Amino acid sequence: MAKPTLRRALSLPLLTLYGLGVTVGAGIYVLIGATAAKAGIYAPVSFLVAAAVVVFTALSYAEFSTRYPLSAGEAAYVDAGFARKHLSLLIGILVMMSGVVSTAVVSIGAAEYASRFLTAPSFVLLICVVAAISGLAIWGIFESVLLAGFITLVEISGLLLVLFVGWTNISMDPGRLPDLIPPFDSSVWAGIASGALLAFFAFIGFEDMANVAEEVKNPRKTLPRAILLTLILSTILYLAVVMVVVANVPLDQLITSAAPLSYLFSGETAFLYAPFGIIAILATLNGGLIQIIMASRVLYGLAAQGHLPSVLSSVNAVTRTPVLATIIVGSVSLGLALWFPIEELAAFTSLMVLVVFFTVNLSLIRVKLTRQTRQAQQDIFVIPLWVPILGAVAAVGLAVTRLI
């Protein structure tokens, strides 16, 4: 009997919704407050800096994903450039751990939003959140991503609601907008740079699409388009939402909350508090679901490539998902969520991903400078050499802000 394999079920719309689900749900619903604690009212600029860092690496992933459309894609990318199994394993583990820690971050946010409606202890809410998203990830890739895609549309509608309410308030006092432009002051820009490291977490997600490549229809054509669409759409949403939130919510309230967007619904818009709270819970659950899917596929991919014990590459014959890998990822995420604060987890995730981005960009530089570039493969998405060079430099630059 043939060994069960992953199912190719993801089209461009589903894959783009998958990417948007993890970026939008994981970042904007949870980390505006933490970013504002560093950058103050200039948090939108921090998000813009983070987007500028991400764009070069996104293009590098777009090319690599067409060269090597595999689960645990980053490990395969690094192996192609450096041919060092230990380095490939390290990068694969970092990617998996970024997904694990991201799941913990988003689970904390989901539990925080849920606590506005439920009186259960926070640890009970966290356990329920992680158990729910782990079960959905085990259910099946088509079913879980289809559900995630639907929830993504719901969470985007929540952000549009935030924009409507927030912009209505700003339009009553347009004099607030110029206050969001930072002065040429070194201390202000140091805060913006530090905030950009946390804002960077909000863009983590486009690279997750590379790790479900074995479940994508026509991956060489679909993956680059989905990666770029995800980045463009999420950047537009982020900048608009962060601008209206910092212009409307007092900083002392914003910087202390893991559920920051809920503060926008008070006074005349208080009747929207409950509907938005439900949307926010779904959004954060969605981000956790997609991160668990990604991390479990990396664990599966590393085992399938021979880096880890083969039992981790087992696929359930009924669900066609890596059940054991998913359970491990969910369990570790729960432990982190119970023991560490959200800001530390987000910053740690960002640093891990920046190390991965730096290494992937270096690997693409090496690949493009070898004979592999001269191979006649017309179905490869090709970018200029200067793109991964800038991607590597930008990743190092943002990581250094941790020392500021």
Side-chain angles (χ1 to χ4, degrees):
M1 182 177 178
K3 180 180 178 180
T5 59
L6 299 176
R7 177 185 174 192
R8 292 198 180 276
L10 303 182
S11 59
L12 177 61
L14 275 179
L15 189 59
T16 303
L17 287 173
Y18 174 93
L20 283 172
V22 67
T23 51
V24 174
I28 205 71
Y29 276 86
V30 176
L31 286 174
I32 292 180
T35 304
K38 301 286 186 180
I41 62 171
Y42 308 119
V45 184
S46 291
F47 277 84
L48 189 60
V49 171
V53 170
V54 166
V55 65
F56 301 110
T57 300
L59 290 168
S60 293
Y61 269 80
E63 175 166 337
F64 255 145
S65 67
T66 61
R67 290 179 178 272
Y68 309 101
L70 301 168
S71 296
E74 287 93 341
Y77 306 162
V78 173
D79 187 53
F82 294 97
R84 296 288 186 271
K85 294 295 183 183
H86 293 301
L87 181 59
S88 299
L89 175 60
L90 173 62
I91 293 301
I93 290 174
L94 282 176
V95 173
M96 180 194 67
M97 285 306 301
S98 72
V100 170
V101 182
S102 294
T103 301
V105 172
V106 181
S107 297
I108 293 172
E112 178 72 17
Y113 278 111
S115 69
R116 306 298 172 93
F117 303 96
L118 304 173
T119 56
S122 59
F123 76 91
V124 172
L125 293 174
L126 274 172
I127 291 172
C128 292
V129 166
V130 176
I133 58 181
S134 298
L136 288 171
I138 288 172
W139 183 22
I141 185 64
F142 178 77
E143 293 81 6
S144 56
V145 173
L146 184 63
L147 177 62
F150 172 75
I151 297 176
T152 297
L153 295 176
V154 173
E155 69 190 52
I156 290 175
S157 71
L159 294 181
L160 294 177
L161 184 62
V162 167
L163 289 175
F164 174 75
V165 172
W167 191 258
T168 299
N169 293 337
I170 290 175
S171 65
M172 296 178 184
D173 186 9
R176 300 179 194 176
L177 288 178
D179 294 338
L180 303 181
I181 301 174
F184 292 101
D185 183 290
S186 59
S187 62
V188 169
W189 280 96
I192 290 171
S194 184
L197 182 63
L198 289 173
F200 173 79
F201 178 91
F203 289 94
I204 295 174
F206 73 85
E207 77 283 2
D208 290 1
M209 290 181 281
N211 291 304
V212 294
E214 294 182 31
E215 294 160 289
V216 174
K217 298 176 181 177
N218 194 5
R220 287 191 167 91
K221 183 177 181 180
T222 302
L223 276 164
R225 294 178 178 179
I227 288 171
L228 296 177
L229 274 173
T230 295
L231 180 59
I232 292 168
L233 294 174
S234 61
T235 299
I236 293 171
L237 272 174
Y238 282 175
L239 290 178
V241 169
V242 179
M243 283 178 63
V244 300
V245 170
V246 298
N248 281 281
V249 181
L251 277 179
D252 59 341
Q253 294 181 8
L254 191 60
I255 65 178
T256 58
S257 177
L261 299 187
S262 60
Y263 286 110
L264 203 63
F265 299 93
S266 59
E268 294 181 359
T269 58
F271 70 98
L272 295 172
Y273 182 87
F276 177 78
I278 295 172
I279 292 173
I281 293 170
L282 290 174
T284 46
L285 287 173
N286 196 35
L289 169 61
I290 294 174
Q291 287 288 5
I292 276 191
I293 292 173
M294 181 277 288
S296 63
R297 269 39 175 202
V298 174
L299 195 58
Y300 157 86
L302 289 173
Q305 294 172 28
H307 295 296
L308 294 176
S310 59
V311 66
L312 296 174
S313 67
S314 60
V315 175
N316 185 275
V318 176
T319 65
R320 301 280 292 278
T321 57
V323 175
L324 178 59
T326 304
I327 291 173
I328 291 173
V329 168
S331 299
V332 177
S333 297
L334 177 60
L336 292 172
L338 290 171
W339 287 100
F340 293 94
I342 190 170
E343 293 85 357
E344 290 185 15
L345 291 171
F348 184 52
T349 303
S350 295
L351 286 173
M352 285 192 294
V353 174
L354 284 170
V355 171
V356 173
F357 283 4
F358 173 74
T359 311
V360 167
N361 279 301
L362 283 187
S363 183
L364 184 57
I365 293 169
R366 288 177 62 91
V367 167
K368 293 175 83 66
L369 291 175
T370 67
R371 64 181 182 278
Q372 297 181 57
T373 306
R374 295 190 291 270
Q375 294 175 348
Q377 300 184 57
Q378 296 182 4
D379 54 351
I380 287 178
F381 177 85
V382 178
I383 58 175
L385 179 61
W386 58 265
V387 173
I389 292 174
L390 288 181
V393 171
V396 171
L398 187 56
V400 168
T401 63
R402 181 67 171 172
L403 304 176
I404 297 176

